Amino acid sequence: MEADSPFLLATVSLVSALQMGYFARRVGWSRMAHKVLPPSVTGPPEFERTYRAHQNCVECYPVFLVTLWTCGMFFSEVTAAAGGLVYIIARQLYVNGYAKSTKKRLPGFYLTLAVYLTLFLLGLIGLLRGILHKYFHIHL
Amino acid sequence: MEADSPFLLATVSLVSALQMGYFARRVGWSRMAHKVLPPSVTGPPEFERTYRAHQNCVECYPVFLVTLWTCGMFFSEVTAAAGGLVYIIARQLYVNGYAKSTKKRLPGFYLTLAVYLTLFLLGLIGLLRGILHKYFHIHL
Amino acid sequence: MEADSPFLLATVSLVSALQMGYFARRVGWSRMAHKVLPPSVTGPPEFERTYRAHQNCVECYPVFLVTLWTCGMFFSEVTAAAGGLVYIIARQLYVNGYAKSTKKRLPGFYLTLAVYLTLFLLGLIGLLRGILHKYFHIHL
């Protein structure tokens, strides 16, 4: 471990991993509350919404990690970590909202998209700058 | 960011993350076209194939990232990045094909397997060489 | 590739990726044995348990990778790699058990949780130590 290690990116990643564990746990609690025994994933609407909310987070999580670390390593660690914290809040809004109604998932969903777009574009800028520098000797 | 940063691996990862977002979007479009409201994931065969195609990509994506980066960091970055581009093409063929019929997913599926095998074996060679060097002082 | 590259973490990651491929393959074999054609994911209880076991591994895998690498990069590579091997064993027990009965998934499930908790806490200790050092100049 070196002094300039990406502590902030790693911390945000670890917190987001904990959040994923919490979302998985919520599906477990919903199973118990609605008596939906595994391996079944169908049941009352509230259970199915909680289950789908978790599945959506599972679909999103690797994409988030890639954009977080690309933005953090090639553009700015502090900016990426801040974006990562907003992502964690966005997912919390999404899952809390989806558990209540299908429509209430939308604010968290749009905030997730905004974070993705920001991390993606800043990461892309950093990468293009680096590629121009390394392979074409163009210094921006 | 240093001059020898893995720009190519990061670029391929970022493009593949964008592709995952596009596949998720296709499920959303298929929901609208076939009037399948969330959280439901069952409906007409075309919707269910599009949904399953995306789920399969979700299952594959972390495995791809691990083999891409292992091959790229321990064997050759250019080879791994080229393999990553083939993976992105393979997944596009898979999802496009699966949306048409179950059978048409197979060419993209087999190409995905070929990329996995290549990245895995080259990564393994790189790792074994590194471990022999570091822990057993054997220089191949 | 440098002499102090994290060979052990990369090797454990690559083996776990291979295991994920094997679990996906088991779902394919179960499809054939029980004549469950894609894109369907419902069928006899044994198929549905095998399918859900794989899905659970898909949900767990990115969380595992984050905790493995955080513990390995910021606390101790050898400890993290050992934890990773236990995780691979835990997942094997989980999938083998779940394929037999819903209840038999539990030993592997609890062992998975124990590995998560260990990797998470050690990673957190390493990160906090690093952050105190880098941003607050406190040397523990």
Side-chain angles (χ1 to χ4, degrees):
Chain A
M1 189 172 68
E2 292 156 41
D4 64 342
S5 297
F7 296 115
L8 301 182
L9 296 179
T11 303
V12 169
S13 300
L14 202 62
V15 172
S16 69
L18 186 67
Q19 189 188 38
M20 288 298 291
Y22 165 68
F23 291 156
R25 206 65 285 268
R26 277 181 72 151
V27 176
W29 290 329
S30 187
R31 281 189 181 282
M32 283 187 279
H34 299 285
K35 306 206 189 326
V36 179
L37 296 179
S40 174
V41 293
T42 50
E46 199 191 312
F47 168 76
E48 293 200 1
R49 289 199 309 272
T50 303
Y51 174 74
R52 258 317 295 165
H54 176 232
Q55 286 306 114
N56 186 279
C57 292
V58 169
E59 294 162 14
C60 286
Y61 193 47
V63 173
F64 163 63
L65 290 173
V66 166
T67 54
L68 172 75
W69 282 82
T70 305
C71 179
M73 297 307 283
F74 299 99
F75 185 81
S76 151
E77 189 186 356
V78 172
T79 308
L85 290 179
V86 178
Y87 177 87
I88 290 169
I89 292 165
R91 286 286 104 186
Q92 201 65 44
L93 291 174
Y94 177 85
V95 171
N96 291 350
Y98 211 162
K100 282 184 201 122
S101 81
T102 302
K103 208 177 171 185
K104 284 187 179 156
R105 82 190 192 289
L106 291 175
F109 176 72
Y110 291 126
L111 189 55
T112 304
L113 284 187
V115 174
Y116 271 151
L117 196 70
T118 308
L119 292 176
F120 180 87
L121 289 179
L122 297 180
L124 193 63
I125 289 169
L127 278 174
L128 291 178
R129 201 174 48 188
I131 287 171
L132 285 176
H133 185 126
K134 181 174 178 182
Y135 294 101
F136 299 92
H137 308 292
I138 298 169
H139 307 243
L140 296 182
Chain B
M1 189 173 67
E2 291 155 42
D4 65 341
S5 296
F7 297 113
L8 302 181
L9 296 179
T11 303
V12 169
S13 301
L14 203 62
V15 172
S16 70
L18 186 68
Q19 189 188 37
M20 287 299 290
Y22 166 68
F23 290 158
R25 206 65 284 269
R26 278 182 71 150
V27 176
W29 290 328
S30 188
R31 281 189 180 284
M32 285 187 279
H34 298 285
K35 306 205 190 327
V36 179
L37 296 178
S40 175
V41 293
T42 50
E46 199 190 314
F47 168 76
E48 294 202 358
R49 289 198 310 271
T50 303
Y51 175 75
R52 259 317 292 165
H54 177 231
Q55 288 304 115
N56 186 279
C57 292
V58 170
E59 295 162 13
C60 286
Y61 192 49
V63 173
F64 164 63
L65 290 173
V66 166
T67 54
L68 172 74
W69 281 82
T70 305
C71 179
M73 297 307 282
F74 299 99
F75 186 82
S76 152
E77 189 186 357
V78 172
T79 307
L85 289 179
V86 178
Y87 177 87
I88 290 168
I89 293 165
R91 286 285 103 187
Q92 202 64 45
L93 292 174
Y94 177 85
V95 170
N96 291 351
Y98 211 161
K100 283 184 200 122
S101 82
T102 303
K103 207 176 171 185
K104 284 187 179 155
R105 83 190 192 287
L106 291 175
F109 175 72
Y110 291 126
L111 189 55
T112 303
L113 284 187
V115 174
Y116 271 151
L117 196 70
T118 308
L119 292 176
F120 180 87
L121 289 178
L122 298 181
L124 192 64
I125 289 168
L127 278 175
L128 291 177
R129 202 174 47 188
I131 286 172
L132 285 176
H133 186 126
K134 180 173 178 182
Y135 294 100
F136 299 93
H137 308 292
I138 298 168
H139 306 243
L140 295 183
Chain C
M1 190 173 67
E2 292 156 41
D4 65 341
S5 297
F7 296 114
L8 301 182
L9 296 178
T11 303
V12 168
S13 301
L14 202 62
V15 173
S16 69
L18 185 68
Q19 189 188 38
M20 287 299 289
Y22 166 68
F23 290 158
R25 207 65 285 266
R26 278 182 70 149
V27 176
W29 290 329
S30 189
R31 280 190 181 283
M32 284 187 279
H34 298 285
K35 306 204 188 329
V36 179
L37 295 179
S40 173
V41 294
T42 50
E46 199 190 313
F47 169 76
E48 293 202 359
R49 289 197 310 272
T50 303
Y51 175 74
R52 259 316 294 165
H54 176 231
Q55 287 304 115
N56 186 279
C57 293
V58 169
E59 295 163 12
C60 286
Y61 192 49
V63 174
F64 164 64
L65 290 173
V66 167
T67 54
L68 172 75
W69 281 83
T70 306
C71 180
M73 297 307 283
F74 299 99
F75 186 81
S76 152
E77 189 186 357
V78 173
T79 307
L85 289 180
V86 178
Y87 177 87
I88 290 168
I89 293 166
R91 287 285 103 186
Q92 202 64 45
L93 291 174
Y94 177 85
V95 171
N96 291 351
Y98 210 161
K100 283 185 199 122
S101 82
T102 303
K103 208 175 169 187
K104 283 186 180 155
R105 83 189 191 287
L106 291 175
F109 176 72
Y110 291 126
L111 190 55
T112 304
L113 284 187
V115 174
Y116 272 151
L117 196 69
T118 307
L119 293 176
F120 180 87
L121 288 179
L122 297 180
L124 192 64
I125 289 169
L127 278 175
L128 290 178
R129 202 173 48 188
I131 287 172
L132 285 176
H133 185 126
K134 180 174 178 182
Y135 294 100
F136 300 92
H137 307 292
I138 297 168
H139 306 242
L140 297 182

